[in-house]
Amino acid sequence: MNGNEFGRLFRMTTYGESHGEAMGCTVSGVPAGVELSEEEIQKDLDRRKPGQSMITTSRGEPDKVTINSGIQDGYTTGTPIGMVIQNKDARSGKYEPFITAPRPSHGDYTYSAKFGTRNWGGGGRSSARETVNWVAAGGVAKQVLEQSDYDVQIKAHVCQIGDVEAGPVTFEDMLEHSEENEVRCADPAAAEEMRDVADQHQKEGDSIGGAIYFECRGVPSGLGAPRFDSFPSRLGQAMYSIPAVNDFEYGIGREARTTRGSEYTENWEFDEDGHPTPVGNDHGGIQGGITTGQPIYGEVSWHAPVSIPKTQKTVDWETDEGKEITVTGRHDPVLPPRAVPVVEAMLACTVLDFMLLGGRINPDRLDGQPGEYDTDYHPSSPQNDPEDADTHAKTIDDE
């Protein structure tokens, strides 16, 4: 099975199934010298994990991450970082009726048609549980960006659920208010309405779609390459990889189809540092597929979750029978509230990858000092520690 790796220099390779023993990922391309905190990664995993509220699945997963390679004394060594998240609350029995009778609008049939087999428990590899790996990798990427010479800031919030849309919010509003409610919407009044919409659909045994607005500040100009390696093409790949995403747009997005060229074009002026900068930012921080240095922003849309308890129809290819089924189990009535950290993670991975490709961050070491070996983050020898004499290694002279 291909398609399990994302990125060019900063590369995330993932494994695991929804009801398997564990989820996990290997992150390659992390520069040496990054002070990597497992606790900081855990904070984002806690924002994604199930069981946070009544509008999320009740599956009881702690999503505890363990880093088992790539660090020494708390600092990255430049070698691959391995992370694992154990599955603790898998219940595959409820998925047995769908082994040869695929659930409507899921990946059951298509996976079986492609491979001739599949891990059917909880949807296996097609489950959105796989995004736990992405959030872990994004947590690594965020720490690299935070400790670099660039002030890159990334934030997202739920901007729509059903017909309820958030009002205009600033980047500061998102930073301050998006984590104050279960919906993760930075507009408190809209958040209450969104929660009511989610509750109503859940009571009716149904579900509803929604959208997330994202913004990234501090990204330098000149990242990305024309055509197939353009910034928006790679970012689009990242966002469309998220399960149940139906639409991705940046800048003014779909409004561009009804906008005149005279309205969309942006003049140039000098900024306070004497650098050319566009007047306005309808382009979402990207022109010609390359970043301008202005904020990158856009929206990602999700269709409604298709695991719903309403009666649906399918066919069983083993018995050649048509069947009526009810998808029972523990499922979210709306996806964006738990997808906010996933969007932020994929944005962080994409930005960091371009920063490494563009030489803005040294791919080998964060301090950018090639050849320097006596660093603050290099491990010390116990032989040079008078308080640790019992552990001294023998030298040639001791023999």
Side-chain angles (χ1 to χ4, degrees), residues 304-324:
V306 290
S307 292
I308 54 176
K310 287 185 177 295
T311 300
Q312 301 173 71
K313 294 183 178 181
T314 186
V315 292
D316 190 323
W317 68 69
E318 197 167 56
T319 64
D320 293 328
E321 296 176 321
K323 290 184 175 180
E324 286 191 346

Side-chain angles (χ1 to χ4, degrees), residues 38-53 56 61-65 85 129 131-132 135-136 179 182 184 337-342:
E38 202 173 82
E39 289 72 24
E40 288 301 310
I41 298 172
Q42 190 63 52
K43 288 179 182 179
D44 279 337
L45 288 170
D46 288 344
R47 296 167 62 216
R48 195 221 71 96
K49 72 180 181 181
Q52 299 177 47
S53 70
T56 66
E61 293 289 354
D63 284 353
K64 179 71 171 64
V65 66
I85 299 103
R129 175 146 184 78
T131 61
V132 71
V135 173
E179 298 297 320
E182 297 168 336
R184 289 203 168 87
R338 286 179 61 210
V340 167
V342 181

Side-chain angles (χ1 to χ4, degrees), residues 66-343:
T66 300
I67 300 175
N68 48 32
S69 69
I71 57 173
Q72 177 68 45
D73 299 333
Y75 289 89
T76 58
T77 61
T79 57
I81 296 170
M83 292 182 284
V84 64
I85 299 103
Q86 298 292 329
N87 290 330
K88 298 292 187 180
D89 191 24
R91 304 176 192 175
S92 296
K94 293 183 178 180
Y95 293 87
E96 289 181 355
F98 315 123
I99 296 177
T100 57
R103 294 167 296 171
S105 299
H106 286 72
D108 298 350
Y109 169 74
T110 54
Y111 268 60
S112 290
K114 181 174 179 62
F115 301 108
T117 185
R118 76 177 193 279
N119 184 306
W120 47 267
R125 185 71 174 160
S126 67
S127 171
R129 175 146 184 78
E130 216 276 308
T131 61
V132 71
N133 295 320
W134 310 1
V135 173
V140 174
K142 286 181 179 180
Q143 292 183 61
V144 178
L145 291 170
E146 288 168 358
Q147 295 174 48
S148 74
D149 293 333
Y150 296 85
D151 184 22
V152 176
Q153 294 181 291
I154 293 171
K155 196 71 188 83
H157 85 123
V158 176
C159 62
Q160 184 171 355
I161 290 181
D163 294 330
V164 180
E165 296 185 48
V169 298
T170 65
F171 188 74
E172 291 69 28
D173 288 335
M174 289 196 293
L175 291 173
E176 185 175 352
H177 299 300
S178 63
E179 298 297 320
E180 292 180 345
N181 54 76
E182 297 168 336
V183 181
R184 289 203 168 87
C185 175
D187 178 350
E192 291 187 19
E193 294 184 52
M194 291 178 184
R195 174 60 196 264
D196 291 342
V197 169
D199 284 341
Q200 185 60 38
H201 282 81
Q202 191 171 43
K203 291 176 182 177
E204 296 172 359
D206 214 330
S207 59
I208 191 65
I212 288 174
Y213 171 86
F214 63 85
E215 190 167 330
C216 181
R217 298 191 168 194
V219 175
S221 60
L223 298 185
R227 308 300 174 244
F228 304 117
D229 274 333
S230 73
F231 196 96
S233 67
R234 295 274 305 283
L235 183 58
Q237 178 194 4
M239 296 306 168
Y240 275 120
S241 298
I242 303 173
V245 165
N246 264 28
D247 188 40
F248 159 75
E249 55 187 282
Y250 68 94
I252 63 172
R254 287 171 292 177
E255 291 181 26
R257 69 184 73 174
T258 58
T259 302
R260 293 171 177 247
S262 57
E263 298 170 330
Y264 186 67
T265 188
E266 294 172 345
N267 296 322
W268 291 90
E269 65 179 9
F270 289 110
D271 64 17
E272 57 186 17
D273 297 319
H275 302 299
T277 185
V279 180
N281 191 21
D282 285 348
H283 300 78
I286 304 165
Q287 292 191 23
I290 300 172
T291 58
T292 65
Q294 292 183 297
I296 298 166
Y297 66 91
E299 290 187 10
V300 189
S301 298
W302 277 257
H303 64 65
V306 290
S307 292
I308 54 176
K310 287 185 177 295
T311 300
Q312 301 173 71
K313 294 183 178 181
T314 186
V315 292
D316 190 323
W317 68 69
E318 197 167 56
T319 64
D320 293 328
E321 296 176 321
K323 290 184 175 180
E324 286 191 346
I325 62 170
T326 301
V327 180
T328 59
R330 303 160 293 175
H331 306 288
D332 298 72
V334 62
L335 299 173
R338 286 179 61 210
V340 167
V342 181
V343 168

